[in-house]
Amino acid sequence: MMTKKVAVVTGSAGGLGRGIAERLLKDGFSVMIHDINKEALTKTESELKDLGDVASFVGDVSKKEDQEALVAATVEKFGQLNVFVNNAGVEAVTPFMDIDDKELERTFKINVFGTVYGTQAAAAQFIKQGTSGKIINACSIAGHEAYEVLGTYSASKHAVKAFTHVAAKELASKHITVNAYCPGVAKTKMWDRIDEEMVKADPSLKPGEPFAKFSGEIALGRYETPTDVANLVHFLASEDSDYITGQAILVDGGLVYN
Ligand SMILES: NC(=O)c1ccc[n+]([C@@H]2O[C@H](COP(=O)([O-])OP(=O)(O)OC[C@H]3O[C@@H](n4cnc5c(N)ncnc54)[C@H](O)[C@@H]3O)[C@@H](O)[C@H]2O)c1
Ligand SMILES: CC(=O)[C@H](C)O
């Protein structure tokens, strides 16, 4: 009997992470969903359980010990680890001159330190198992371009892209691939908050206008859904992507071209 492959998706109580977890369950993975928000995570786990083998783990990606415990709990529950999706992330919306220590620390601790800790914990497990493995990071169009009032966030996603390249180079000899998905504009709770903060930063804007302006520039004429992102992560988690590593792939409907 073939053993089922096992995936972890961080920050998957809602938004893009939940969409990714759903898709990987449909693909036949056993999936450990994970989030800092226990209540939302428990609800999501019960909603996903009919799709396949799902379990949940509450943790904070910015804490190295939590990331290690997440991998340990996954292996204890499902016997191995094959795919680790560093999806959890937070936004920061502030005019450049007002960026402060608190914002820099929070954003970098979650988006950058979290990705590094998750990658280290997953790679250590793949090496211990003596198997190949796939690490898949959440980057963004903001990791390719830089956007006004999104300076801290853009810088954090550029750092995620750089760590994706470096980890891919260093881990290739262990048959571990490291890639990133770079979504454009998806209507999740993150964009609800970005919209609200952009309106606060520029009172000439009305609620909904920042989202409409960003998504209005998408060549394919509609904003992104979690399914659009999950379709790419499905590919990056599959054997079809075995010869791809170190890439930060845009999945944005035609918004950023590089
Ligand atoms: N929504 C977009 O348009 C968009 C575009 C590009 C990239 N992204 C990236 O995709 C990822 C998911 O975005 P989303 O829109 O679904 O966000 P979201 O805010 O809707 O969901 C993020 C989830 O991560 C969890 N989380 C936050 N901090 C955490 C922590 N410290 N530890 C564990 N979990 C934590 C939240 O509780 C939440 O459930 C993020 O990395 C984001 O930067 C989103
Ligand atoms: C939230 C995000 O990464 C882009 C700017 O939509």
Side-chain angles (χ1 to χ4, degrees):
M1 204 179 76
M2 277 249 295
T3 336
K4 282 178 87 168
K5 287 200 171 171
V6 179
V8 167
V9 186
T10 68
S12 48
L16 303 183
R18 179 189 164 131
I20 292 164
E22 265 185 56
R23 178 58 193 262
L24 295 180
L25 280 165
K26 287 179 188 159
D27 288 343
F29 282 86
S30 297
V31 179
M32 180 65 87
I33 59 169
H34 157 279
D35 210 280
I36 200 167
N37 182 336
K38 185 176 182 201
E39 200 184 325
L41 188 66
T42 307
K43 187 167 176 281
T44 298
E45 183 183 4
S46 69
E47 289 166 0
L48 295 185
K49 72 177 184 309
D50 289 344
L51 293 178
D53 290 333
V54 62
S56 67
F57 188 88
V58 177
D60 180 346
V61 292
S62 71
K63 295 189 174 147
K64 192 175 167 83
E65 64 274 20
D66 281 19
Q67 297 281 59
E68 289 168 350
L70 168 61
V71 168
T74 303
V75 174
E76 189 174 330
K77 173 76 187 165
F78 295 123
Q80 60 175 350
L81 178 69
N82 306 99
V83 171
F84 193 97
V85 186
N86 281 307
N87 170 75
V90 290
E91 74 288 350
V93 185
T94 308
F96 180 80
M97 294 303 281
D98 297 331
I99 293 171
D100 60 14
D101 292 1
K102 200 172 153 206
E103 171 176 305
L104 287 167
E105 274 164 22
R106 175 173 187 262
T107 313
F108 275 76
K109 278 295 275 180
I110 296 171
N111 295 1
V112 184
F113 290 34
T115 301
V116 172
Y117 296 152
T119 301
Q120 289 172 334
Q125 177 60 30
F126 299 147
I127 291 165
K128 189 171 160 193
Q129 288 171 182
T131 65
S132 61
K134 289 174 182 283
I135 293 162
I136 306 170
N137 298 329
C139 186
S140 165
I141 47 170
H144 288 260
E145 285 279 350
Y147 295 96
E148 283 171 62
V149 302
L150 291 176
T152 304
Y153 179 76
S154 294
S156 76
K157 292 298 182 180
H158 275 74
V160 168
K161 188 172 70 169
F163 274 122
T164 301
H165 296 325
V166 172
K169 289 182 182 183
E170 291 193 24
L171 297 171
S173 64
K174 308 277 184 207
H175 308 289
I176 297 167
T177 62
V178 188
N179 291 293
Y181 52 99
C182 306
V185 184
K187 193 158 176 33
T188 61
K189 286 188 179 156
M190 177 175 281
W191 246 106
D192 290 346
R193 293 187 299 268
I194 293 173
D195 192 86
E196 213 179 299
E197 291 302 317
M198 283 185 167
V199 170
K200 273 191 213 156
D202 178 357
S204 74
L205 292 168
K206 292 192 187 61
E209 279 183 2
F211 182 78
K213 183 175 171 293
F214 267 76
S215 50
E217 288 167 14
I218 298 170
L220 290 178
R222 65 167 176 84
Y223 63 74
E224 184 154 21
T225 66
T227 303
D228 296 319
V229 178
N231 286 341
L232 173 59
V233 178
H234 144 83
F235 168 67
L236 292 174
S238 78
E239 287 173 8
D240 288 349
S241 68
D242 278 356
Y243 197 60
I244 298 175
T245 198
Q247 302 307 306
I249 301 173
L250 285 155
V251 51
D252 64 359
L255 195 51
V256 169
Y257 299 83
N258 62 30

